[in-house]
């Protein structure tokens, strides 16, 4: 059964899409069949993986949500074998409004993803920067949520708001929802505040804070303009290495106790 993880933070520009693309591609390199759902009308996860508007046409996650096509019809395989995308474009911004009157409006994405859980080991959802109906759909469909955050003072307030929203959804709509982890992004080790914020998060969330941090790395910001995950753009970069490490932690946390699956570094395609 595939695991569904929402990549969420109500703040924009904190590294959600960068994390979604690069964790999804690292999972695929570790031989996990992976689907990335682009759930942001900005469509950055789609374009960042080289999917063009011509390829997408009128088969997006929006069209699947409103019943104009099946989710299978939206899926596009990327340049990286084993990594698939359900793309989005600006049409998705209409869904927030159009779904308001719909029956079980919070469960739409959950229903769409159910038949895909047997086909993929992991399904990641790149959420928009808000806690609106799209994000509620994502959290309702998910087994867990992963929060990328920048080490800034206000990030802590945002984090507690987000965790309490997730708690509400867990109580009302999705009892199994868990925190997958908190990932520090664009980390600057020379900045004292960054260390203070990291310590504070560690104090409150303990093991839920990923041991690996993602440094600020120009290759991570350049890769999407080439339509590639950083692994295919510059595998030696600090950014690529960081996301491989984070993904290794995710795989370890989710390793079934009785079933040995190759971890990153153990499979031939991952020995890079
Ligand atoms: N670790 C990083 N180092 C350098 N630039 C980064 C890093 N993470 C993200 N970025 C850049 O920061 C901007 C915002 O990141 P993005 O992943 O799009 O955030 P979000 O999806 O949360 O809005 C993008 O231009 C992205 O390329
Ligand atoms: Mg984004």
């Amino acid at each position: 059964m595939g695991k569904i993880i929402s990549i969420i933070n109500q703040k924009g520009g904190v590294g959600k899409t960068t994390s979604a693309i690069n964790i999804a591609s690292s999972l695929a390199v570790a031989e996990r069949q992976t689907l990335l759902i682009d759930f942001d009308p900005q469509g950055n996860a789609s374009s960042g993986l080289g999917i063009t508007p011509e390829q997408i046409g009128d088969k997006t996650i929006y069209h699947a949500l409103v019943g104009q096509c099946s989710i299978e019809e939206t899926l596009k395989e990327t340049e990286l074998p084993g990594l698939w995308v359900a793309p989005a474009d600006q049409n998705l911004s209409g869904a927030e409004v159009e779904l308001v009157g719909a029956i079980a409006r919070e469960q739409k994405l959950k229903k769409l993803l159910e038949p895909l859980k047997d086909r993929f080991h992991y399904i990641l959802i790149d959420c928009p920067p808000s806690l609106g109906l799209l994000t509620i759909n994502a959290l309702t469909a998910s087994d867990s949520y992963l929060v990328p955050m920048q080490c800034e003072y206000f990030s802590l307030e945002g984090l507690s708001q987000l965790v309490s929203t997730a708690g509400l959804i867990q109580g009302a709509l999705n009892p199994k929802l868990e925190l997958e982890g908190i990932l520090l992004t664009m980390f600057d080790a020379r900045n004292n505040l960054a260390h203070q914020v990291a310590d504070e998060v560690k104090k409150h969330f303990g093991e839920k804070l990923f041991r690996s941090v993602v440094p600020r790395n120009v290759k991570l910001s350049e890769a999407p303009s080439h339509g590639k995950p950083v692994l295919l753009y510059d595998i030696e970069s600090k950014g690529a290495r960081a996301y491989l490490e984070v993904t290794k932690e995710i795989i370890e946390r989710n390793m079934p106790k009785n079933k040995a699956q190759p971890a990153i570094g153990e499979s031939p395609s991952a020995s890079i």
Side-chain angles (χ1 to χ4, degrees):
M1 271 299 232
K3 177 153 194 185
I4 306 181
I5 306 176
S6 282
I7 313 293
I8 157 175
N9 191 319
Q10 70 274 42
K11 208 165 165 232
V14 298
K16 285 183 293 298
T17 302
T18 305
S19 299
I21 289 177
N22 292 301
I23 293 172
S25 57
S26 302
L27 284 166
V29 164
E31 297 182 348
R32 270 55 171 192
Q33 292 291 315
T34 301
L35 171 62
L36 176 53
I37 308 277
D38 190 346
F39 218 42
D40 183 343
Q42 294 178 79
N44 295 340
S46 311
S47 61
L49 283 169
I51 310 292
T52 63
E54 294 71 40
Q55 282 175 289
I56 298 173
D58 58 0
K59 302 264 188 306
T60 69
I61 191 75
Y62 164 79
H63 297 91
L65 273 178
V66 297
Q68 289 178 14
C69 69
S70 70
I71 183 130
E72 285 84 358
E73 287 176 283
T74 71
L75 304 188
K76 299 271 178 295
E77 192 164 19
T78 68
E79 197 185 333
L80 193 67
L83 176 59
W84 295 72
V85 187
D89 61 16
Q90 67 280 5
N91 277 303
L92 187 59
S93 56
E96 292 263 6
V97 179
E98 288 170 42
L99 291 181
V100 162
I103 295 164
R105 62 188 177 197
E106 299 92 355
Q107 323 261 0
K108 293 280 174 199
L109 184 63
K110 181 186 161 87
K111 288 274 175 301
L112 284 184
L113 298 187
E114 254 153 30
L116 298 178
K117 285 184 85 168
D118 290 336
R119 180 167 160 194
F120 294 100
H121 294 109
Y122 286 93
I123 300 176
L124 268 48
I125 308 171
D126 183 30
C127 289
S130 79
L131 297 175
L133 188 52
L134 287 173
T135 299
I136 293 172
N137 260 273
L139 289 173
T140 304
S142 292
D143 298 295
S144 66
Y145 62 103
L146 185 155
V147 186
M149 67 173 274
Q150 271 184 285
C151 281
E152 291 168 350
Y153 178 70
F154 290 117
S155 307
L156 289 168
E157 287 175 25
L159 185 58
S160 54
Q161 190 194 352
L162 195 164
V163 170
S164 69
T165 301
L168 291 176
I169 289 167
Q170 187 196 29
L173 293 159
N174 184 8
K176 68 175 189 304
L177 183 67
E178 285 179 346
L179 175 59
E180 184 72 33
I182 296 164
L183 175 63
L184 304 180
T185 59
M186 298 180 236
F187 192 81
D188 177 1
R190 293 163 307 178
N191 181 334
N192 280 338
L193 180 63
H195 288 283
Q196 283 169 26
V197 173
D199 289 345
E200 205 57 28
V201 177
K202 179 85 193 166
K203 206 164 82 193
H204 285 94
F205 292 93
E207 294 302 305
K208 290 290 183 186
L209 177 64
F210 285 100
R211 292 188 302 278
S212 328
V213 298
V214 180
R216 193 170 278 284
N217 177 245
V218 68
K219 302 292 179 183
L220 285 171
S221 53
E222 288 170 0
S225 63
H226 299 267
K228 290 177 191 298
V230 74
L231 279 176
L232 295 182
Y233 179 64
D234 185 349
I235 195 161
E236 298 291 339
S237 63
K238 288 202 168 93
R241 287 173 185 280
Y243 276 112
L244 282 170
E245 283 302 316
V246 173
T247 304
K248 198 171 166 184
E249 284 187 57
I250 294 174
I251 290 175
E252 282 165 6
R253 287 176 187 198
N254 289 286
M255 192 82 93
K257 301 285 178 284
N258 54 354
K259 216 196 285 156
Q261 291 180 16
I264 287 186
E266 288 170 9
S267 66
S269 65
S271 52
I272 24 164

